[in-house]
Amino acid sequence: MITVVIASRLREDRLDYLTAMHASLTRQSVPWEAVIALDGASPNRLPAPLAQDARVRTLALPRPVGAACARNLALGHVRTPYTNWADDDDEFTDDAMALRLNTLESTGVGWCAGWSEDQHPDGSTTLWRCPTPPGRHEAGDVWTYWKSPADTIPIGPTTILARTDLVRAAPMGGLVQGEDYCAALGVTALAPGILLPVPVYRYRKWNGQMTAQVGYDQLEAAAREHAWAYGRSLRAVLRGGEDLVRD
């Protein structure tokens, strides 16, 4: 029913975390697959638990292309009704798939998301409640909870389980970072969805995560401006050209 799409360069310092991500998938109670886009990395470096799991398929790209491109290329290999983006150093909560899949199947909305947790090096977690409130949201309304590009993004991109056709219609944005902001705004603009007031995803906080890298701040403002404007314009177009921004 669900495919999890992950991009990875199989860096040595992330292999144990990728194995932990896989372990979190094995604890799910609903059927899933995973497509891992190997961003210029050799399939021979894939950790044994993943290499031996028939539910895990790889797309070996001949050279590094970046996370956005790798994820989008992997999207072409999805063969299930629903898709979830994920990072190679994070984890899902044990009931993440079942809770959101049951909601999708019972309500007919296009996407279902949840809250996320920051997972710290000591194993403790801190809950993050996104600015979008729990409940049902009509197409395009999630963007309205992102008041300005400098504010916290309105919803966690990797907390979203969505119909695959929606994800293909609104894939990763053409950015070197913040590409998932575009993906989240696109999917939530194309169909109504439901945000559950429960954590479904854990972001690993460590010095190897992308947001901790040297130079990350240099392009973050520009990436946010682009994603915010994309969400604004998409919402306006889908509403017949009506721009409902409140300055």
Side-chain angles (χ1 to χ4, degrees):
M1 293 295 290
I2 296 167
T3 297
V4 178
V5 175
I6 302 170
S8 181
R9 292 186 175 176
L10 299 182
R11 284 175 24 188
E12 185 65 34
D13 60 344
R14 302 174 83 91
L15 294 181
D16 286 345
Y17 297 149
L18 178 58
T19 301
M21 162 55 80
H22 173 254
S24 77
L25 289 175
T26 66
R27 293 192 292 269
Q28 303 301 314
S29 59
V30 296
W32 59 270
E33 294 182 342
V35 176
I36 303 180
L38 301 180
D39 191 11
S42 169
N44 295 331
R45 290 183 50 76
L46 197 67
L50 286 82
Q52 297 166 3
D53 190 335
R55 295 169 294 184
V56 176
R57 293 178 288 129
T58 58
L59 172 63
L61 302 175
R63 61 178 175 84
V65 295
C69 182
R71 288 166 171 163
N72 284 340
L73 292 175
L75 191 55
H77 295 259
V78 173
R79 55 191 185 189
T80 56
Y82 301 102
T83 299
N84 201 136
W85 301 112
D87 294 332
D88 66 353
D89 57 346
D90 296 329
E91 299 179 10
F92 287 98
T93 60
D94 291 356
D95 55 0
M97 301 304 178
L99 284 173
R100 293 173 300 158
L101 180 61
N102 289 340
T103 300
L104 287 167
E105 294 281 276
S106 63
T107 64
V109 296
W111 56 271
C112 183
W115 289 336
S116 64
E117 294 175 324
D118 289 336
Q119 182 167 307
H120 305 287
D122 64 0
S124 63
T125 59
T126 303
L127 181 65
W128 182 69
R129 295 179 175 89
C130 60
T132 301
R136 180 186 170 104
H137 298 277
E138 299 308 314
D141 284 354
V142 166
W143 177 83
T144 66
Y145 297 100
W146 197 7
K147 298 305 181 183
S148 81
D151 291 339
T152 302
I153 59 174
I155 200 166
T158 47
T159 72
I160 300 172
L161 180 65
R163 291 201 328 255
T164 298
D165 63 331
L166 294 176
V167 178
R168 288 194 171 120
M172 291 286 154
L175 297 168
V176 296
Q177 66 190 65
E179 71 279 1
D180 53 347
Y181 305 161
C182 291
L185 292 173
V187 164
T188 58
L190 293 177
I194 293 174
L195 175 67
L196 302 175
V198 293
V200 298
Y201 193 82
R202 296 192 182 106
Y203 288 99
R204 190 180 300 275
K205 307 295 285 186
W206 66 297
N207 58 14
Q209 66 181 145
M210 182 178 178
T211 55
Q213 300 309 296
V214 175
Y216 179 83
D217 291 340
Q218 294 175 345
L219 289 173
E220 180 65 5
R224 283 171 170 261
E225 288 278 357
H226 173 81
W228 186 88
Y230 162 72
R232 171 178 175 162
S233 296
L234 182 59
R235 184 173 188 268
V237 168
L238 293 175
R239 296 191 174 215
E242 182 183 10
D243 190 340
L244 301 177
V245 177
R246 296 290 183 262
D247 294 326

